[in-house]
Amino acid sequence: IYFNELVSAFGDRMWQFAIPILFMDVWPTSLLPTILYTFVLNLAMFLLMPIAGSWIDSMSRLPLMVTTIVVDNVSVIASCFLLKATVASKNQHLLWSIFSAIVLISIPGQLAVNVGRVALEKDWVPVVCEGDSKSLTVLNSRLKIIDLSCKFIAPMIFGIILQLMGPDVEKRVSWGSNIVIMYNLLMALPEGICIYRVYFGCHRLATAPKKKKLAGNPLWKFYDGWRVFVSHPICLSCLSFSILFTTVLSPGSLLIAFLKWVGVMEGLLGASIGFGALCGLLGASLFPYMHEDKNGNERISLSTIGLSSVWLWFLHLFPIAVVLTIRQSNITTVPPLVTGTVILFFVCVGRTWLWVFDLAANQLLQERVSEGIRGRVSGVQSGNNQLFTVVIYALGLIFHRPDEFYILCYASIFSVLLSAILFTVWYIRYSDISKFTEAVPLSMNTTPEVMVLNDKSA
C-alpha cells in the first residue's frame, strides 16, 4: 500500500505542477488556459464524483482499481502528446482546439485519479485494518506523510529538470512532456502489481462477497449519492471539511502571485513552501500520538481532535484578518511586504492543524460510514471538494487584480470560520457514538441493501 501510494501520489503531484508550468510556456501572456483547465476539471468532478461513488459501492474491488490505473495513465500520456503538438502550431485556432482536446481527455483521467484515491482510502484501507482503530490511525497518518512528501518533492524535481532546459519553449515543453510520459509508462506496471499484491494478500479484500450492482441511469445515481449523503449523520462533518477548499490561503498559484506582487523574494517564497510542507508533515506525524498511546488506549477522541484542530486553524488565520483590516481601514500604514510576510508565516505554521483536521475527518468517515454506502458518501464529499475549489477560482476571476486580493483572503478566512461552526454543530449532535445511528463496526459483514436501510433510519 505504501509503495502504491508513493508511485501514484508522486505522478499525480508532478502532473498537477507540470500542467500550469507548461501552459505558461505555450501561452506566456495569459493565465486563461490554466484557469479554464482548473475550472472545467473541478466542475466536471463535482458532477461526476457522486455518480462514480456508486461504482465503488457496486464494482468488484480489483477490476475497479486496475481500470483507474489504466485510464489515468492513458489520459496523462495522451495529454502530454497533445502538449508537445502545441509548440509546433502557430495557428491560434488550432492551438485552442488542441487545448480543448487536452481538457476533454483530462476529465476521465482526473475522474480515475479521484475514484482510485477514494476507493483506496475509504474502502481498501478500512478493510485491510479489519476494524482496528489503532492500525487505521497509523496507516492513514503514514499515507498522508507520503502524499505530503510527494507534494513537495515531485514539483521540486520537475522544476529543477525544467530549469536545466533553459529558456527555449519548444525544448521545455517537449522535455517536460517526455518526463511525464516516461514516468507513467515505467510506473504503471509496478503500481498494478502493488494493487494485485495487496488484494490477494488481504483475506477480506480477496474473499469479500461480490458487490451488488446498483441499478439506475447516471442522473438517478447522482441523486441517490446525494440522498445517501444528506441523510447520513456524517454529512455536516464532510461539508465542514469540503468548505475548507474555498481558500487562497494555501501555497497555490494565486497566493504565490500575490506575494510576489507585494515584494516577497522568490527565495523566501520557495523556502516558505518547504516550511509549509514540513508543518504539514508535523501535523500528519502528530495525529497518531494525539489519538492513541503506545498501548492502543485512546488519548483524545477523533471528534475532539477534529473540533480542536479546525478552530486552531482558524485562530492561525485570524491575525491575517486583523492585518488586512488595519491595512484597508488606513488606521496605520502597513507596508505591503509586511502584509505578505504575515500571511506567509501564519498560513505555513497553521497547516499543522489543517492536516490534523484532514486526518481526523477522514478517519471519522472511515469508521462511522458503513462499507455498503461508503463509496457514495465519499464520492459526494470528493465532488464537494471540487465544487468549493471552483467557487474560489470563480471569485479569483471576478477579483483578479492584486490590490483586490484581500477580498479573497476574507472569503478564505470566512470559509474556515464556517467550517469550524459546522463541525462544532456536528460535534454537539453526533460526537457521542451512541447518538450516531449509522455507526457499525468496520468488520461487520452486511450487504449493501441493509446499509442503505440503516442509512434511511439514521
Side-chain angles (χ1 to χ4, degrees):
I1 288 181
Y2 295 144
F3 185 77
N4 175 78
E5 175 69 10
L6 176 63
V7 171
S8 175
F10 191 93
D12 293 342
R13 297 300 185 183
M14 181 169 63
W15 179 235
Q16 289 169 9
F17 180 77
I19 272 287
I21 295 296
L22 298 180
F23 276 174
M24 284 304 297
D25 282 334
V26 178
W27 290 275
T29 60
S30 176
L31 288 171
L32 186 60
T34 301
I35 294 173
L36 283 176
Y37 178 88
T38 307
F39 185 87
V40 171
L41 248 65
N42 282 288
L43 186 60
M45 293 308 104
F46 165 69
L47 296 173
L48 295 174
M49 278 307 295
I51 301 170
S54 66
W55 303 343
I56 300 170
D57 287 337
S58 60
M59 286 183 66
S60 298
R61 289 187 173 99
L62 186 59
L64 176 66
M65 290 299 291
V66 171
T67 301
T68 61
I69 292 171
V70 172
V71 173
D72 174 29
N73 283 279
V74 170
S75 171
V76 171
I77 291 170
S79 297
C80 286
F81 278 113
L82 286 171
L83 263 174
K84 292 173 70 174
T86 58
V87 294
S89 174
K90 303 300 180 185
N91 186 298
Q92 284 298 314
H93 293 293
L94 180 58
L95 206 59
W96 282 102
S97 298
I98 295 173
F99 169 77
S100 302
I102 291 172
V103 173
L104 291 175
I105 290 173
S106 296
I107 290 174
Q110 188 61 49
L111 183 63
V113 170
N114 289 4
V115 170
R117 182 164 293 277
V118 169
L120 183 70
E121 293 180 356
K122 306 300 195 297
D123 184 28
W124 285 51
V125 167
V127 171
V128 167
C129 292
E130 298 184 343
D132 184 349
S133 181
K134 180 178 174 61
S135 298
L136 186 59
T137 301
V138 172
L139 188 54
N140 283 333
S141 175
R142 289 177 179 173
L143 289 174
K144 183 59 67 177
I145 288 172
I146 292 170
D147 183 47
L148 289 173
S149 300
C150 291
K151 188 175 184 178
F152 171 59
I153 295 171
M156 181 179 67
I157 293 175
F158 185 85
I160 291 172
I161 295 173
L162 211 60
Q163 191 171 349
L164 295 175
M165 297 299 105
D168 186 277
V169 171
E170 185 171 352
K171 189 177 180 181
R172 285 168 59 87
V173 173
S174 179
W175 273 95
S177 300
N178 286 336
I179 290 167
V180 177
I181 290 170
M182 290 303 297
Y183 182 88
N184 281 268
L185 287 175
L186 290 173
M187 291 301 170
L189 183 59
E191 191 176 355
I193 291 173
C194 287
I195 289 297
Y196 268 90
R197 291 195 63 181
V198 172
Y199 182 79
F200 290 108
C202 177
H203 179 73
R204 285 200 65 226
L205 282 174
T207 60
K210 187 176 180 180
K211 297 180 180 180
K212 183 179 176 66
K213 185 174 182 180
L214 300 174
N217 58 42
L219 286 177
W220 165 253
K221 289 180 178 178
F222 181 88
Y223 163 77
D224 182 59
W226 271 96
R227 177 187 63 81
V228 171
F229 178 80
V230 171
S231 61
H232 199 283
I234 204 69
C235 176
L236 281 179
S237 172
C238 291
L239 278 177
S240 170
F241 176 75
S242 296
I243 288 171
L244 293 177
F245 283 76
T246 315
T247 185
V248 293
L249 297 176
S250 63
S253 56
L254 290 176
L255 179 60
I256 290 172
F258 170 75
L259 293 174
K260 193 172 180 180
W261 178 74
V262 298
V264 177
M265 293 180 294
E266 286 84 352
L268 181 58
L269 280 175
S272 67
I273 291 173
F275 178 62
L278 289 176
C279 290
L281 289 171
L282 174 63
S285 303
L286 189 64
F287 173 71
Y289 297 100
M290 294 176 66
H291 184 38
E292 293 177 337
D293 61 24
K294 292 181 179 179
N295 298 320
N297 301 316
E298 185 177 82
R299 282 195 178 115
I300 309 174
S301 69
L302 289 171
S303 303
T304 305
I305 292 173
L307 181 67
S308 57
S309 58
V310 71
W311 279 107
L312 282 167
W313 173 226
F314 170 72
L315 289 176
H316 277 80
L317 298 184
F318 187 73
I320 298 175
V322 173
V323 170
L324 289 173
T325 302
I326 293 172
R327 177 177 167 79
Q328 294 305 125
S329 58
N330 294 320
I331 296 174
T332 185
T333 303
V334 180
L337 185 57
V338 173
T339 305
T341 305
V342 169
I343 291 174
L344 195 57
F345 175 78
F346 283 103
V347 165
C348 291
V349 174
R351 293 185 77 76
T352 299
W353 302 111
L354 174 63
W355 290 113
V356 170
F357 179 69
D358 179 295
L359 285 163
N362 178 57
Q363 189 161 335
L364 282 168
L365 191 154
Q366 291 171 324
E367 292 190 355
R368 298 200 181 190
V369 179
S370 45
E371 193 174 316
I373 58 172
R374 199 180 293 138
R376 277 167 285 177
V377 172
S378 301
V380 173
Q381 184 200 33
S382 179
N384 287 339
N385 298 347
Q386 315 299 139
L387 174 65
F388 287 110
T389 303
V390 168
V391 170
I392 198 63
Y393 268 89
L395 288 174
L397 287 172
I398 298 170
F399 305 105
H400 59 275
R401 296 204 316 268
D403 60 334
E404 295 176 325
F405 189 78
Y406 73 94
I407 299 174
L408 302 181
C409 289
Y410 280 134
S412 302
I413 296 168
F414 176 75
S415 73
V416 178
L417 176 61
L418 181 59
S419 170
I421 292 171
L422 285 178
F423 196 86
T424 303
V425 173
W426 178 88
Y427 181 86
I428 294 169
R429 294 183 63 185
Y430 297 115
S431 63
D432 185 351
I433 193 71
S434 64
K435 299 177 183 179
F436 205 96
T437 312
E438 215 275 327
V440 294
L442 288 176
S443 58
M444 183 175 180
N445 186 16
T446 316
T447 61
E449 291 91 339
V450 174
M451 294 304 176
V452 174
L453 289 173
N454 288 343
D455 181 64
K456 287 180 179 177
S457 68

